[in-house]
Each structure stands twice: as C-alpha cells, then as structure tokens.
Amino acid sequence: MTQEEKTLIEEHIVDVLKTVYDPEIPVNIYDLGMIYRIEVADDHSVDVDMTFTAPNCPAADFILEDVRTKIESLSDVTSASINLVFEPAWDKDMMSEEARVELGFD
C-alpha cells in the first residue's frame, strides 16, 4: 500500500471519528484532541491510540466501542485496534480551535 493510500484511509478515519461524541461534551472526540495516533498497516488494519478527558470517564466503554465499530465500518479497513492511553495526560490545549470556541475556552 502506498503512503498516498494510507493517507486517504486516515482521512476517512478522521471523518468517522468526528461523528463520535462523549455524551457529556458537545464536541467530537477528534476535535477534543482525544486521538493521539492513527496508524494504517499494509494489510488495511488500523491501530489507534486515544485517551479520555478524565481517566474515570463513565462512558469509556461506549466510546471505545463506538470508535472501533465506526472505523471497522469503513470499506478500506479490515480491523481496528483501539488502545486506551493516558500518557501524555489530556488537557484543554489539545483541543482544536473550533472545540475551544464551542466550549467557551477562547
């Protein structure tokens, strides 16, 4: 698989990640800065590192499953592995400009 193909798949993944929300926050997880890494392998499997805004997020299981299901629903993805990480710790500086405006941080 070429780097161009991987980049296109990553763009599709970002598009679906922008449809995943923490039920308590009105901004998608991608713009919140909760996605740390997206890696597409030559076999079309995907490995994602993500975090939560708080380690004790009550919706953690729901969000992780939503992320995995939506990524695996893409026709150019064979499987997705979602890794929950807490290093580096999430903070509001990781949010996109749009997310900061939406949440009143700017």
Side-chain angles (χ1 to χ4, degrees), residues 47-74:
D47 200 38
V48 174
D49 288 349
M50 67 172 291
T51 195
F52 290 109
T53 57
N56 57 350
C57 175
D61 291 340
F62 168 78
I63 296 170
L64 288 169
E65 184 61 18
D66 199 23
V67 168
R68 187 189 61 75
T69 302
K70 286 185 176 178
I71 292 174
E72 287 183 345
S73 75
L74 295 170

Side-chain angles (χ1 to χ4, degrees), residues 4 6-16 38 74:
E4 207 171 89
K6 287 182 179 184
T7 300
L8 185 60
I9 293 171
E10 287 175 19
E11 289 172 2
H12 293 156
I13 291 168
V14 168
D15 288 343
V16 298
I38 300 170
L74 295 170

Side-chain angles (χ1 to χ4, degrees), residues 12-41:
H12 293 156
I13 291 168
V14 168
D15 288 343
V16 298
L17 290 174
K18 288 185 174 189
T19 70
V20 177
Y21 289 80
D22 180 322
E24 298 178 348
I25 304 172
V27 175
N28 69 72
I29 65 168
Y30 189 82
D31 286 332
L32 281 172
M34 293 169 50
I35 303 300
Y36 288 171
R37 181 179 67 89
I38 300 170
E39 186 173 315
V40 179

